[in-house]
Amino acid sequence: ALVLALEGEGHRGIRHVLADLGERVRAGGSLSAAMAAHPRTFSRLVVNLVRAGEAGGSLAASCDEIRTHYESSERMAADVRQALFYPMAVVVAVAVFFLVVFTFFIPRFTGVLRELAVPLPLLTRAMMGISEFLREHHLVVAGILLGTVGAVVAAVRHVPALATLRDAMVLRLPLFGPIVSMVCLARLAHTLGSLYRAGVPVLDALQLCAPIVGNRVVQAGLGQVIDGVRAGRAMHQTMRSNPVFPSMVVQMVALGESTGALGESLQNLAVYYDQTLPRSVRKLFSLLEPLMVLGLIALVGVVALSVVLPITAALEAR
């Protein structure tokens, strides 16, 4: 199978990896051990799924779980990207609009107003002041913005307490917090279900899931679940004491543990999130789109008013 995969692969790097896998397996090593030698290509999740399939004689089923897991993750990410496209396009359009207005339009309009020598309203003077400041200090402003963003990103990346605080604040956001929570729980349901159905022990599966949920608060909650399972408690009992896990997740896990069908319960939970998450994202942005349009109209109106008011005053003076 590895030889056939090598013959059909056109990517040079993947061909090198497949060739090395073939040599290691031909020398008597296991496929999972050969994959573990390439951590940049095969994650711990993939290696453990393959190792469980080898141990249980169900390697094909494990590979199918890997395929299903990545297909579901990619589909979820594609839905979120599609929903984010329009808001991001509006934000970019607004930024470009104000860049043109404050650096090109208002400076020319300022010269005309000074020639007319009419009294300027407060709004017009404010717009002219902002435009002049940005023209004279645009490099300083850009440097401050980029430096602030870079400092915040570096601080969050290197200070775990700040990263945890950021993730906690994200989960508390009125509209985006529930969406982020659903994304994290969907990853957990997909990954834990795939590992469990492949035969990976629950404790090992939970430890593999912790780094990939995508939020440090949820990861800490999962760490408490790992401690509870290690101490001999049922998984749903520890989940029930942590508000990170909603009641539906706790009930599905409890049902799976009590009936011996935890894999099926997690799969049903993953399917639920796959169906609910795109609808929730679309609903969120369907509410935000009118607000963004109204905000854009208000901003354009303020700029237009700052232009119209002095012209009206000049006409009245004549």
Side-chain angles (χ1 to χ4, degrees):
L2 290 172
V3 171
L4 292 175
L6 179 61
E7 292 176 355
E9 180 58 51
H11 191 279
R12 181 179 300 177
I14 300 299
R15 286 181 59 85
H16 173 74
V17 172
L18 289 174
D20 185 71
L21 293 183
E23 292 177 1
R24 291 174 184 270
V25 171
R26 190 178 292 111
S30 65
L31 179 60
S32 59
M35 287 181 168
H38 298 276
R40 296 182 60 183
T41 304
F42 303 104
S43 64
R44 290 182 58 203
L45 171 65
V46 172
V47 172
N48 280 272
L49 282 169
V50 172
R51 183 177 293 122
E54 290 173 330
S58 56
L59 182 58
S62 295
C63 291
D64 191 58
E65 289 290 346
I66 295 172
R67 177 188 60 80
T68 303
H69 170 77
Y70 280 105
E71 285 180 351
S72 300
S73 300
E74 179 58 30
R75 184 167 57 251
M76 181 174 62
D79 291 335
V80 174
R81 284 196 300 267
Q82 183 178 3
L84 287 173
F85 176 78
Y86 178 76
M88 293 302 297
V90 173
V91 171
V92 172
V94 171
V96 172
F97 169 76
F98 278 98
L99 180 64
V100 173
V101 166
F102 283 105
T103 60
F104 179 78
F105 177 71
I106 290 183
R108 295 195 174 189
F109 180 71
T110 300
V112 175
L113 291 179
R114 287 173 178 170
E115 290 179 1
L116 293 175
V118 296
L120 300 178
L122 177 61
L123 181 61
T124 304
R125 294 199 304 271
M127 290 295 172
M128 293 171 59
I130 293 174
S131 175
E132 185 175 356
F133 178 81
L134 291 177
R135 288 179 60 202
E136 294 180 356
H137 304 92
H138 60 279
L139 295 178
V140 176
V141 173
I144 292 175
L145 291 176
L146 293 176
T148 301
V149 172
V152 171
V153 171
V156 169
R157 181 177 298 177
H158 295 94
V159 182
L162 291 178
T164 303
L165 178 62
R166 178 205 60 186
D167 290 347
M169 293 174 62
V170 168
L171 291 178
R172 294 192 185 100
L173 292 176
L175 296 176
F176 291 93
I179 301 295
V180 174
S181 177
M182 290 178 64
V183 171
C184 296
L185 294 173
R187 290 174 180 168
L188 174 61
H190 276 294
T191 308
L192 185 58
S194 298
L195 290 167
Y196 186 82
R197 288 191 299 272
V200 178
V202 174
L203 187 58
D204 294 338
L206 288 171
Q207 291 173 340
L208 288 170
C209 290
I212 64 173
V213 291
N215 186 281
R216 290 176 180 264
V217 176
V218 180
Q219 184 177 347
L222 197 57
Q224 295 178 6
V225 175
I226 293 172
D227 294 337
V229 172
R230 188 179 288 115
R233 299 176 62 190
M235 188 161 53
H236 73 274
Q237 293 176 349
T238 310
M239 284 183 170
R240 184 174 287 116
S241 62
N242 196 312
V244 169
F245 303 102
S247 59
M248 186 187 67
V249 173
V250 177
Q251 292 170 3
M252 292 295 292
V253 172
L255 178 63
E257 288 182 318
S258 62
T259 59
L262 181 59
E264 288 74 9
S265 294
L266 291 171
Q267 184 178 14
N268 292 333
L269 187 62
V271 170
Y272 166 78
Y273 279 122
D274 284 343
Q275 296 175 352
T276 304
L277 185 59
R279 291 199 299 265
S280 300
V281 173
R282 285 193 292 268
K283 181 179 179 181
L284 170 63
F285 288 109
S286 66
L287 296 175
L288 289 179
E289 285 174 9
L291 297 177
M292 296 176 67
V293 173
L294 290 175
L296 178 59
I297 293 174
L299 292 173
V300 173
V302 169
V303 175
L305 194 61
S306 66
V307 173
V308 171
L309 287 177
I311 295 177
T312 304
L315 293 176
E316 291 178 352
R318 292 185 180 182

